[in-house]
Amino acid sequence: MPDYKLVTREHQQQNTVIEVNDIKIGAKKIIVMAGPCTVESKEQLSTIAKYVKKSGAGVLRGSAFKPRTSPYSFQGLGSKALEYIKEVGKKYNLITETEVMEINQIDLCGKYVDILRVGARNMHNFDLLKALGKSSKPIILKRGISATINEWLCAAEYIMLNGNPKVILCERGIRTFETMTRNTVDLAAVALVKKITHLPVIVDPSHGTGIRDLVSPIAKAAVAVGADGLLIEVHNDPENALCDGDQSLLPKQFEILMQEIKDFSLAVGRQI
Amino acid sequence: MPDYKLVTREHQQQNTVIEVNDIKIGAKKIIVMAGPCTVESKEQLSTIAKYVKKSGAGVLRGSAFKPRTSPYSFQGLGSKALEYIKEVGKKYNLITETEVMEINQIDLCGKYVDILRVGARNMHNFDLLKALGKSSKPIILKRGISATINEWLCAAEYIMLNGNPKVILCERGIRTFETMTRNTVDLAAVALVKKITHLPVIVDPSHGTGIRDLVSPIAKAAVAVGADGLLIEVHNDPENALCDGDQSLLPKQFEILMQEIKDFSLAVGRQI
Amino acid sequence: MPDYKLVTREHQQQNTVIEVNDIKIGAKKIIVMAGPCTVESKEQLSTIAKYVKKSGAGVLRGSAFKPRTSPYSFQGLGSKALEYIKEVGKKYNLITETEVMEINQIDLCGKYVDILRVGARNMHNFDLLKALGKSSKPIILKRGISATINEWLCAAEYIMLNGNPKVILCERGIRTFETMTRNTVDLAAVALVKKITHLPVIVDPSHGTGIRDLVSPIAKAAVAVGADGLLIEVHNDPENALCDGDQSLLPKQFEILMQEIKDFSLAVGRQI
Amino acid sequence: MPDYKLVTREHQQQNTVIEVNDIKIGAKKIIVMAGPCTVESKEQLSTIAKYVKKSGAGVLRGSAFKPRTSPYSFQGLGSKALEYIKEVGKKYNLITETEVMEINQIDLCGKYVDILRVGARNMHNFDLLKALGKSSKPIILKRGISATINEWLCAAEYIMLNGNPKVILCERGIRTFETMTRNTVDLAAVALVKKITHLPVIVDPSHGTGIRDLVSPIAKAAVAVGADGLLIEVHNDPENALCDGDQSLLPKQFEILMQEIKDFSLAVGRQI
């Protein structure tokens, strides 16, 4: 028995395309998901949503439940944030996504948000993966902090085998000896995984680098290497962000990125 | 605010000693936890328990729920195994331990087993850690596959801050570029963590090395470096083990290890 | 005293442009260096040189002295290969480059070849770096297998401080836990280093990935991220190559890559 | 053809014992090599030599040529230091060792010093290894910063294949994601290499940990795991050391370590 099979192109040759309302993930158009790391208030989310919508993002990102290394760090607004996400998403006609950390958050998050995200720290949380296999929502599956490509695909297999074929793989940088960047973005993994699997693959250059100035170059490189989408942190006031301010783009920077990335999309025969 | 404080020697100078029946973890006597990776049957567990008890183990190890990279690998016997663990532990007068992977397993496992274990893949499962903070059972907290020492101590802080002071740290090898061993055992981390924290620290040389012949040398080195205990896989028929046979000691090898380790325990001023 | 200063943009704001005959490295045109991993015969080198010239490469790569993990592996043709490189380079009007492993090879290689290369295994060979500082030849300085960005820039500083300003940095993948690719290409390092230093930075997608099918996507991503050049292995008969056949492009694949990469060059405001 | 053969126990079953005057490396007695990281003056070296001799060290360590990440760091006293090493070694009847960084230092160092050392950064400097194969001196071969066990043994094979059977392997910690310690000491590698090869294996807990307080625990663990010797930095004034003061033991601490380590040596059936 191989480690995985449902995720492979041997099992399904053509690309999986995941439709959420008018958005198709894994199709010709590269999908950009943008927003704050964590929902801090309705005003914050609304301000940022307005900007990213205007610049062309299709999905609003934002965490309600936030895994933090230290118990003394801000842990997210929880269910209150889910209400904000739903309201703001509706207002700006944006698909929404958020992170689920626990089985009992799946139904709750599912009531308010369109796409559920598994964070890097939970990629090996097999019970969570199995439970997400019972969900009807698309799942963004981030690669674990030190997960091999094989383990990442196995995690996707857990979700698919339990009944949910709508898995979006997300490369977000791996842990290496290098400390000048937060993680080491592994773009070769994106190209390799696109060959092995039929699932859409997106890249998170914000967590991948941890440095605002590197988000745009890595976003472009991600498109060049064949990614189907991008997950980008945008914040209107990064210096006062409660989480990850250093890696968040300002709205203006995001707008420029969306402009510049068009040529790269065309160069790979896609659009944005 | 520092990342952690309850776990530090600044907060509590003297060593935490965790008592379970007649066993004291973190005291002068080095505690050996031994048994199969995973409970495969009552007979298997009983056979191994008899051997390890005879050789001097104080705690019987054995997983009922088993995190596996691939969904097609043996996932453990589940609640059936918990009954076996309780019955066999009672028969041989052994303290018992098992892994909890999910919040809803905490109460269940707690009914049958004395000590709960958080596996390396779940060290960053913060909701699980918080829930274990509400438990009255001692918790073995394995270091994450690529967790820094700082993150490991933060994970312990999550449990303590939520009300459970009975945390046992377990070094089980970290992921590096070296492939000849399964993981790279970080014994300097054990010595360093013993200085920073008052919590007991144990070492798992079986997962740490993945190679039967290295278990004994690393067990001795762990004692030399100051570990308070060992977590060792023993199997009576490793070639047919459903999991981790390559790293399991035969009962006879375990007996020899327990003999040989005495001198090292004395050399660090302890007993076994 | 900081670790380095001559390499920084604080010391020199504008990009260093290194001229070799009609080639300018670090200027608007992206320079492609292509050829076999190792020179195997005059015929082999000549065949490959003809192809890569036709497809638009500006520099012919080829090792005469070859660092190999095992002493039983093919170690290169040595000085005989240098003669071939010179002859073939002249025949096809290609700039040439080769690796120097030892101080006493610097003068020898310098007589035959235009650009000298320091391999990843020698990035920390400080005496070699100092001696290359006395050379008038441009130096390609590959990032060490596990060198931090800081160490890489320090290595460049050794060369510059000893008198040679013509340093070309080359990202070639770092060693991580991932085994499915040969190394992990760190493209964020390229973007970051381009900000810190005025030196040209090129990327080696062949060693970086170790997989033929990944060379083209990573080459494109390298251009997107801001690289000034590419170092690519091409072999007319990779299955019988004496070294690194698995990661060498066929001449036809190289030709296609050179075509496809044009749009990416334009998208970053450059040409190829 | 395998990667290596001369180094294996298939090629030579019994342990290689390297004799230098009255010292036997690889025999029953565990050999302790101690001294400053770098020779700073004759007085400094003499002071430290007196202490380490009194405490039972058999070999005086000390670098004359010093590989440093930055060209602006102290690079060692060079040949002047070699004279001091010889003079001080003779005065206190200590075997001496020092690092060679370059082929042209081999003869020079060989005139003054008993044992030559290849540093971690030069483990992949194959021309240096080949040249050391022509030397009659014993060679301490440090494991490269990110060298696999296989690569380390291949490096030893280079020396042996070129004629010098007197190779002493030295584990000095590998580079991982952990930053709280300077490197991650891989003691399982020591146990594994002792099984594969007949060569003596020693451990450097000073570079391995980078933290003074961890030197003693790791030294004990190294003995427990089967190491044939230790390489330890001792400095009489570590706060003013020109290199590596943080990881150097004070003479008194070294004396205590030498006392405490006796029991561990006995526990492995050896002496010190």
Side-chain angles (χ1 to χ4, degrees):
Chain A
M1 178 68 78
D3 284 350
Y4 48 79
K5 64 179 179 190
L6 301 181
V7 301
T8 66
R9 288 202 184 271
E10 281 72 44
H11 179 74
Q12 177 189 314
Q13 204 181 331
Q14 79 279 17
N15 286 341
T16 285
V17 175
I18 297 170
E19 297 192 40
V20 194
N21 298 352
D22 57 333
I23 298 277
K24 290 182 187 177
I25 301 166
K28 191 174 182 188
K29 190 174 157 76
I30 290 168
I31 304 302
V32 179
M33 309 179 179
C37 174
T38 310
V39 178
E40 298 171 26
S41 70
K42 188 156 68 173
E43 292 64 37
Q44 175 240 25
L45 188 64
S46 189
T47 302
I48 296 169
K50 188 180 168 188
Y51 282 125
V52 302
K53 174 71 179 182
K54 194 182 130 205
S55 300
V59 180
L60 177 64
R61 76 150 280 154
S63 293
F65 303 99
K66 191 67 204 160
R68 298 304 294 273
T69 298
S70 169
Y72 302 109
S73 300
F74 173 59
Q75 309 270 318
L77 295 182
S79 52
K80 202 74 201 158
L82 296 175
E83 294 172 23
Y84 302 157
I85 294 171
K86 182 165 189 172
E87 187 179 330
V88 170
K90 197 171 179 183
K91 182 174 174 190
Y92 293 105
N93 191 28
L94 281 161
I95 304 293
T96 55
E97 69 88 63
T98 204
E99 175 163 356
V100 284
M101 293 173 62
E102 238 297 301
I103 290 178
N104 60 27
Q105 295 166 1
I106 297 177
D107 284 349
L108 178 66
C109 291
K111 277 183 204 147
Y112 293 93
V113 180
D114 300 308
I115 301 173
L116 305 181
R117 176 172 20 104
V118 178
R121 291 179 184 78
N122 271 318
M123 195 210 80
H124 272 135
N125 184 340
F126 299 114
D127 286 288
L128 180 63
L129 300 178
K130 287 175 185 173
L132 287 166
K134 312 293 187 199
S135 170
S136 61
K137 299 278 179 179
I139 310 297
I140 295 172
L141 178 66
K142 286 199 158 188
R143 184 180 182 183
I145 292 172
S146 66
T148 61
I149 293 169
N150 183 66
E151 291 171 339
W152 190 19
L153 294 176
C154 282
E157 186 85 6
Y158 266 101
I159 299 173
M160 289 191 72
L161 188 63
N162 283 277
N164 187 347
K166 293 184 259 181
V167 180
I168 302 155
L169 297 166
C170 179
E171 161 66 27
R172 46 75 73 199
I174 55 173
R175 182 163 279 182
T176 69
F177 61 82
E178 179 60 65
T179 56
M180 219 182 260
T181 46
R182 181 171 178 181
N183 293 291
T184 299
V185 185
D186 185 3
L187 292 180
V190 174
L192 184 54
V193 164
K194 287 290 295 176
K195 289 184 191 300
I196 299 172
T197 179
H198 51 81
L199 297 170
V201 184
I202 67 174
V203 172
D204 176 348
S206 307
H207 284 89
T209 64
I211 298 173
R212 186 175 303 128
D213 284 352
L214 300 183
V215 171
S216 177
I218 291 299
K220 294 168 186 172
V223 169
V225 92
D228 297 298
L230 297 166
L231 184 62
I232 295 179
E233 289 185 358
V234 178
H235 201 286
N236 57 320
D237 184 13
E239 295 199 5
N240 293 305
L242 293 178
C243 184
D244 289 350
D246 287 348
Q247 69 195 34
S248 295
L249 292 185
L250 284 159
K252 185 66 191 170
Q253 293 173 312
F254 179 69
E255 186 188 335
I256 294 169
L257 169 59
M258 290 297 285
Q259 286 298 322
E260 292 182 348
I261 218 158
K262 279 181 188 164
D263 289 341
F264 296 91
S265 303
L266 290 173
V268 286
R270 305 181 76 159
Q271 58 186 76
I272 196 154
Chain B
M1 178 71 75
D3 284 350
Y4 49 78
K5 65 179 178 190
L6 302 182
V7 301
T8 65
R9 289 204 184 269
E10 282 71 44
H11 179 74
Q12 177 190 313
Q13 204 182 331
Q14 78 280 18
N15 287 342
T16 285
V17 175
I18 297 169
E19 298 192 39
V20 194
N21 298 352
D22 57 333
I23 298 277
K24 291 181 187 178
I25 301 166
K28 191 175 183 187
K29 188 174 160 76
I30 291 167
I31 304 301
V32 179
M33 309 179 180
C37 174
T38 310
V39 178
E40 297 170 26
S41 69
K42 188 155 70 173
E43 293 65 37
Q44 174 239 29
L45 188 65
S46 189
T47 302
I48 296 169
K50 187 179 169 188
Y51 282 124
V52 301
K53 173 71 180 183
K54 193 182 130 205
S55 300
V59 179
L60 177 64
R61 76 150 278 154
S63 293
F65 303 99
K66 191 68 203 161
R68 299 303 294 272
T69 297
S70 170
Y72 302 109
S73 300
F74 174 59
Q75 308 270 320
L77 294 182
S79 52
K80 202 75 202 156
L82 296 175
E83 294 172 23
Y84 302 157
I85 294 172
K86 182 164 189 173
E87 187 179 330
V88 170
K90 195 170 178 183
K91 182 174 174 189
Y92 292 106
N93 191 29
L94 281 162
I95 304 292
T96 56
E97 69 88 63
T98 203
E99 176 164 354
V100 283
M101 293 172 62
E102 238 298 302
I103 291 178
N104 61 26
Q105 295 166 1
I106 296 177
D107 284 348
L108 178 67
C109 291
K111 278 184 203 145
Y112 293 93
V113 179
D114 300 307
I115 302 173
L116 305 181
R117 174 171 22 102
V118 178
R121 290 179 184 78
N122 272 318
M123 194 210 81
H124 271 136
N125 184 339
F126 298 115
D127 287 287
L128 181 63
L129 300 178
K130 288 175 185 173
L132 288 166
K134 312 295 186 197
S135 169
S136 61
K137 298 280 178 177
I139 311 296
I140 296 172
L141 178 65
K142 285 200 160 187
R143 184 180 182 183
I145 292 171
S146 66
T148 62
I149 292 170
N150 184 66
E151 291 171 339
W152 190 20
L153 294 176
C154 282
E157 186 85 7
Y158 266 100
I159 299 173
M160 289 191 71
L161 188 62
N162 282 277
N164 187 347
K166 292 183 258 180
V167 180
I168 302 156
L169 297 165
C170 179
E171 161 66 27
R172 47 76 75 199
I174 55 173
R175 181 164 281 181
T176 69
F177 61 83
E178 180 60 64
T179 56
M180 217 182 262
T181 47
R182 180 173 180 180
N183 292 291
T184 298
V185 185
D186 185 3
L187 291 180
V190 175
L192 184 54
V193 164
K194 287 289 296 175
K195 289 184 192 299
I196 298 172
T197 179
H198 50 81
L199 296 170
V201 184
I202 67 174
V203 173
D204 175 348
S206 307
H207 284 89
T209 64
I211 298 173
R212 186 175 302 127
D213 284 353
L214 300 183
V215 171
S216 176
I218 291 299
K220 292 169 186 171
V223 169
V225 93
D228 298 297
L230 298 166
L231 184 62
I232 295 178
E233 289 184 0
V234 178
H235 201 288
N236 57 319
D237 184 12
E239 295 199 5
N240 292 305
L242 293 177
C243 183
D244 288 349
D246 287 348
Q247 68 195 34
S248 295
L249 292 185
L250 285 160
K252 185 66 191 172
Q253 293 173 312
F254 179 68
E255 186 188 334
I256 293 168
L257 169 59
M258 289 298 284
Q259 286 297 321
E260 292 183 349
I261 218 159
K262 280 182 188 163
D263 289 341
F264 296 91
S265 303
L266 290 173
V268 286
R270 304 181 77 158
Q271 59 187 74
I272 195 154
Chain C
M1 178 69 76
D3 285 349
Y4 49 80
K5 64 179 179 189
L6 301 182
V7 300
T8 65
R9 289 202 183 269
E10 282 71 45
H11 180 73
Q12 178 191 312
Q13 204 182 332
Q14 78 280 18
N15 287 342
T16 286
V17 175
I18 298 170
E19 298 192 38
V20 195
N21 298 352
D22 56 333
I23 297 278
K24 291 182 186 176
I25 300 165
K28 190 175 184 187
K29 190 174 156 75
I30 290 167
I31 304 302
V32 179
M33 310 179 179
C37 173
T38 310
V39 178
E40 298 171 26
S41 70
K42 187 156 68 173
E43 292 65 35
Q44 174 239 26
L45 187 64
S46 190
T47 302
I48 296 169
K50 188 180 167 187
Y51 282 124
V52 301
K53 175 70 180 182
K54 194 183 129 205
S55 300
V59 180
L60 176 65
R61 75 151 280 154
S63 293
F65 303 99
K66 190 67 205 161
R68 297 304 295 272
T69 297
S70 169
Y72 302 109
S73 300
F74 173 59
Q75 309 270 317
L77 295 181
S79 52
K80 203 73 199 158
L82 296 176
E83 294 172 24
Y84 301 157
I85 293 172
K86 182 165 187 171
E87 189 180 329
V88 170
K90 197 171 176 181
K91 183 174 174 189
Y92 294 104
N93 191 29
L94 282 161
I95 304 293
T96 55
E97 69 88 61
T98 203
E99 175 163 356
V100 284
M101 293 172 61
E102 237 299 300
I103 290 176
N104 60 27
Q105 296 167 0
I106 296 176
D107 284 348
L108 178 66
C109 291
K111 277 184 205 146
Y112 294 93
V113 179
D114 301 307
I115 301 174
L116 305 181
R117 175 172 21 104
V118 178
R121 290 179 184 78
N122 270 319
M123 194 209 81
H124 272 136
N125 184 338
F126 299 114
D127 287 288
L128 180 62
L129 300 178
K130 287 175 185 172
L132 287 166
K134 313 293 186 197
S135 170
S136 61
K137 298 280 178 179
I139 311 297
I140 295 172
L141 178 65
K142 287 200 159 186
R143 184 179 181 183
I145 292 172
S146 65
T148 62
I149 292 169
N150 184 65
E151 291 171 340
W152 190 20
L153 294 176
C154 281
E157 186 85 6
Y158 265 101
I159 298 172
M160 289 192 72
L161 188 63
N162 283 276
N164 187 348
K166 292 184 260 181
V167 179
I168 301 155
L169 297 166
C170 179
E171 161 66 27
R172 45 75 75 199
I174 55 173
R175 181 164 280 181
T176 69
F177 61 82
E178 180 60 65
T179 55
M180 219 182 260
T181 47
R182 183 173 177 179
N183 292 291
T184 298
V185 185
D186 185 3
L187 292 180
V190 175
L192 184 54
V193 164
K194 285 291 295 176
K195 289 182 191 300
I196 299 172
T197 179
H198 51 81
L199 296 170
V201 184
I202 66 173
V203 172
D204 176 348
S206 307
H207 284 89
T209 64
I211 298 174
R212 186 175 303 126
D213 284 351
L214 300 183
V215 171
S216 176
I218 291 299
K220 293 168 186 171
V223 169
V225 93
D228 297 298
L230 298 165
L231 185 62
I232 295 179
E233 290 185 358
V234 178
H235 201 287
N236 56 320
D237 183 13
E239 295 199 4
N240 292 305
L242 292 177
C243 184
D244 288 348
D246 288 348
Q247 68 195 35
S248 296
L249 292 185
L250 285 160
K252 184 66 191 170
Q253 294 174 311
F254 179 69
E255 186 188 335
I256 294 169
L257 169 60
M258 290 298 284
Q259 286 298 323
E260 292 183 347
I261 218 160
K262 278 181 188 162
D263 290 340
F264 296 91
S265 303
L266 289 173
V268 287
R270 305 182 77 159
Q271 58 186 76
I272 194 152
Chain D
M1 178 69 77
D3 284 350
Y4 48 78
K5 64 179 179 187
L6 302 182
V7 301
T8 65
R9 289 204 184 270
E10 281 71 45
H11 179 75
Q12 178 191 311
Q13 203 182 333
Q14 79 280 16
N15 287 341
T16 285
V17 175
I18 297 169
E19 298 193 38
V20 194
N21 297 353
D22 56 333
I23 298 277
K24 292 182 185 178
I25 301 165
K28 191 175 182 186
K29 189 175 158 78
I30 291 167
I31 304 301
V32 179
M33 310 180 179
C37 173
T38 310
V39 178
E40 298 170 26
S41 70
K42 187 156 70 173
E43 292 64 36
Q44 174 239 26
L45 187 64
S46 189
T47 303
I48 296 169
K50 187 180 168 186
Y51 283 124
V52 301
K53 174 70 180 183
K54 194 183 129 205
S55 300
V59 180
L60 177 64
R61 76 150 279 154
S63 293
F65 304 99
K66 190 69 204 161
R68 297 304 294 273
T69 297
S70 170
Y72 303 109
S73 300
F74 174 59
Q75 309 270 318
L77 295 181
S79 52
K80 202 75 201 157
L82 296 175
E83 294 172 23
Y84 301 157
I85 293 171
K86 182 166 188 171
E87 188 179 330
V88 171
K90 195 171 177 182
K91 184 174 172 188
Y92 293 104
N93 191 29
L94 282 161
I95 304 293
T96 55
E97 69 88 62
T98 203
E99 176 163 355
V100 285
M101 293 173 61
E102 238 297 301
I103 291 177
N104 61 27
Q105 295 165 0
I106 296 176
D107 283 349
L108 178 66
C109 292
K111 277 183 205 148
Y112 294 93
V113 180
D114 301 307
I115 302 174
L116 305 181
R117 174 172 22 104
V118 178
R121 291 178 185 78
N122 271 318
M123 195 210 81
H124 272 135
N125 184 339
F126 299 114
D127 287 287
L128 180 62
L129 300 178
K130 288 175 185 172
L132 288 166
K134 313 294 187 198
S135 171
S136 61
K137 298 281 179 178
I139 311 297
I140 296 172
L141 178 65
K142 287 200 160 186
R143 184 180 182 183
I145 292 172
S146 65
T148 61
I149 292 169
N150 184 66
E151 290 171 341
W152 190 20
L153 294 176
C154 282
E157 186 85 5
Y158 266 100
I159 299 172
M160 289 192 72
L161 188 63
N162 282 277
N164 187 349
K166 292 184 260 181
V167 180
I168 302 155
L169 297 166
C170 179
E171 161 66 27
R172 46 75 75 199
I174 55 172
R175 181 163 281 180
T176 69
F177 62 82
E178 179 60 65
T179 56
M180 218 183 260
T181 47
R182 183 174 177 178
N183 292 291
T184 298
V185 185
D186 185 3
L187 292 180
V190 175
L192 184 54
V193 164
K194 286 291 294 177
K195 290 184 191 300
I196 299 172
T197 179
H198 51 82
L199 297 170
V201 184
I202 67 173
V203 172
D204 175 349
S206 306
H207 284 88
T209 64
I211 298 173
R212 185 176 303 127
D213 285 351
L214 300 183
V215 171
S216 176
I218 291 299
K220 293 168 186 170
V223 169
V225 92
D228 298 298
L230 297 165
L231 185 63
I232 295 179
E233 289 185 359
V234 177
H235 201 287
N236 56 321
D237 184 14
E239 295 199 3
N240 293 305
L242 292 177
C243 184
D244 289 348
D246 288 348
Q247 68 196 35
S248 296
L249 292 185
L250 285 159
K252 184 66 191 171
Q253 293 173 312
F254 179 69
E255 186 188 334
I256 293 168
L257 169 59
M258 290 297 285
Q259 286 297 322
E260 291 183 347
I261 218 158
K262 279 181 187 163
D263 290 340
F264 296 90
S265 302
L266 289 173
V268 286
R270 304 182 77 158
Q271 59 186 75
I272 195 152

